Each structure stands twice: as C-alpha cells, then as structure tokens.
Amino acid sequence: MLARGWHVTALVRDPSRAAAAWSAPVAPGWQAGDAMNRADVVRAAERTSVIVHAVNPPGYRGWDRLVLPMLDNTLAAAQEAGARIVLPGTIYNYDPTLAPVIDETTTQHPRGRKGAIRVEMEKRLAEAAPEVRSLVVRAGDFFGPGAGQSWFAQALAKPPLTRIVNPATRDVGHAWAYLPDLAETIIHLLELPADRLLPCERLQFPGHYDADGRAMVAAVRRASGRTDLPERRFPWALMRALAPFGGFPREVMEVRPFWAHAMRLDGSRLMELLGDVPCTSLDTAVVDALRT
C-alpha cells in the first residue's frame, strides 16, 4: 500500500519496537493501541477507507476468547469511518474431506475450533453488510519474505537449511500462497471501482497448487542449489500421541486433515474481477522466501 501511494496508519502495541523492525524506505504512521480496546481501534480508523484486519493476540494466547471481540471492534470502527474491512481468509472454514475444491458457493463445514471461529468471523462480516463492506481473500499456506510463522519457514525450509521436513502426504495436493502475490492481488481489488465488489465479497486466491506434494520440495532443492538435500517426513504419529496433553501437538493435529486431503482454491471469480491474477513463478518465489 505504501509503495502505491496509500497513506497507512498502523495500530500496534509498541510503536517504537515496530518502527525499529521496519525495513522499508517508507513507513506507516505508527499508532499505539490495543485491538481489544474499541476506542483505540475507532481512533486509528478515523478518515480511513480500508481497515486491514490482520491482528492476533500476543503469542496467539487466548485466541478462542479474544479473536471475535477484536473483530467486533473493527466492525464498529469500519461502520463509523465508512471503511471496507479486508480479512485474510483461511481454508480452515472447510472440511477437506467434503470440499476438495473451494469457491464462493462452497458450504463452510469447519472441522476444528479454529475453523469454527473463522466461520463465525465471516458470518459477522456478512451480517454487517451492506452497512459495513468487507473483502475476504482466502489463500493456502503462506510463504515468502517475513513469513516466519509458517509451515514453509518452520518445517519445509527451516534455517539453517540442512534438511527438508515435509508435512505433505504423497500424491495429495496442497495450496500455497506467495505473500507478495497475495498482497498485490488485494491491492488491485481495492483499487477497482467500488461497485465492482459485492458488499461482502469472498474470493479465493489460487496461488501455487502442489498437485502431488512433491513440487514444493523440488523447488526448495533447486532454489538452494542442493539437489541432494535430504527429505524427512513430518512426525505426524508423534504429534498424534502427544496431542492429548495439549500445546503444539494438539494445535498441529487440528490442521492435519488439510495435509492428508487435497484442497484447491478456485479463483474464477477473482479472475473475472482482475483478469490476470499476480503469480510469481514458483522457483522465483522460493528463492525469495529462502533469502529472507
């Protein structure tokens, strides 16, 4: 947004820390606040046309208790400012055993707690329309610069890169989203004439679909220049055994079905709106992701 000349206000818990971590030549206007405090969110959203709702509790703690109140504050701020809400969507709203292909008409049947909350978030956006406009752009697993908390950065290509830990199931497709392409897609959508988008628009970003679970591994090997880089399977059996004790294993097992069953995002509506959807070649995108 900054690169395209938008004026951006970023609501953050610690502006000095955020500014110190910022590496781009142009910075947003940092504003201190708490997404759980409605007055903070409303103040930050004054005179805005778009609110990007990209907020989570610190360390993802209390996610089930805090996510919906934070969205309600964004809804209130958007209504007061007359702004459109942008929500990065997930595939967790769906049951991969029932929905191998997702489009705007696919019924949402969440399998886990995270998915149920995501369904409720999108329900609240739909109920707020047309008074509050919203745009949900759904994508697969993120990878790219700065995406440290991702399957790509923490398993497939965890630095220092000495091996590949592959969570994929052989011959099962998986959807990946290169973050710069996703961001550019959202910008193009927001710069369309307002009447081109539905009051509550839900779109699927197709990204890179690894049809057999092998393409991303091969791309990491090519990008690293190490064709002999060893591949290990993600320890799903161990995670299953430890899941009853909670913590990371339980959270991981909740998303296990999305690695065991193919799920592809149908971008037909997105292409209808934009024509060409940004799509960096897989090799170029993986080189960029490994570099950062």
Side-chain angles (χ1 to χ4, degrees):
M1 283 181 152
L2 289 165
R4 294 176 72 88
W6 287 61
H7 174 76
V8 178
T9 297
L11 180 69
V12 294
R13 301 180 188 96
D14 186 342
S16 59
R17 181 180 177 185
W22 191 259
S23 59
V26 182
W30 304 110
Q31 188 167 136
D34 187 337
M36 286 296 291
N37 185 315
R38 180 163 297 188
D40 288 351
V41 182
V42 170
R43 184 178 66 254
E46 288 177 357
R47 298 182 299 279
T48 61
S49 59
V50 173
I51 302 175
V52 180
H53 186 86
V55 60
N56 277 303
Y60 292 86
R61 293 183 297 274
W63 202 85
D64 55 337
R65 295 181 293 102
L66 303 178
V67 166
L68 291 173
M70 288 192 293
L71 179 63
D72 288 340
N73 290 342
T74 293
L75 281 163
Q79 185 162 21
E80 188 159 328
R84 183 185 293 272
I85 296 172
V86 173
L87 177 70
T90 75
I91 60 175
Y92 301 143
N93 305 50
Y94 302 90
D95 183 342
T97 66
L98 303 175
V101 180
I102 300 170
D103 64 15
E104 292 70 43
T105 66
T106 305
T107 303
Q108 298 190 358
H109 288 297
R111 289 182 62 104
R113 297 170 297 119
K114 291 185 181 66
I117 293 173
R118 280 285 181 168
V119 169
E120 178 61 27
M121 292 175 75
E122 292 190 24
K123 178 184 175 185
R124 293 188 186 189
L125 292 178
E127 290 174 345
E131 289 77 14
V132 177
R133 297 163 298 151
S134 59
L135 169 63
V136 177
V137 183
R138 196 178 322 282
D141 272 310
F142 296 155
F143 74 104
Q149 293 186 341
S150 66
W151 281 99
F152 183 93
Q154 294 181 317
L156 256 147
K158 184 177 181 178
L161 187 56
T162 58
R163 62 177 180 171
I164 294 170
V165 178
N166 190 1
T169 301
R170 194 69 67 151
D171 297 323
V172 171
H174 193 76
W176 293 93
Y178 178 54
L179 279 175
D181 287 343
L182 177 60
E184 187 177 352
T185 297
I186 292 172
I187 288 293
H188 289 334
L189 290 166
L190 292 174
E191 292 180 343
L192 290 173
D195 60 358
R196 290 289 309 282
L197 297 177
L198 299 173
C200 180
E201 186 79 71
R202 301 179 185 181
L203 299 169
Q204 324 307 317
F205 176 76
H208 291 282
Y209 184 66
D210 183 348
D212 60 7
R214 297 179 176 91
M216 186 59 86
V217 169
V220 170
R221 285 176 169 150
R222 287 193 300 271
S224 65
R226 299 177 57 190
T227 57
D228 60 344
L229 196 65
E231 177 186 355
R232 302 287 184 269
R233 312 307 299 172
F234 187 80
W236 290 113
L238 176 61
M239 295 296 106
R240 184 179 295 107
L242 295 174
F245 301 100
F248 176 74
R250 184 183 68 180
E251 300 302 315
V252 164
M253 288 309 300
E254 188 171 313
V255 301
R256 169 63 174 135
F258 298 95
W259 290 101
H261 301 275
M263 181 177 276
R264 181 175 62 81
L265 292 101
D266 183 338
S268 299
R269 167 66 177 160
L270 186 59
M271 288 184 280
E272 175 188 325
L273 288 166
L274 296 183
D276 293 330
V277 177
C279 186
T280 302
S281 73
L282 182 60
D283 282 353
T284 301
V286 171
V287 167
D288 188 35
L290 292 181
R291 186 183 300 121
T292 54

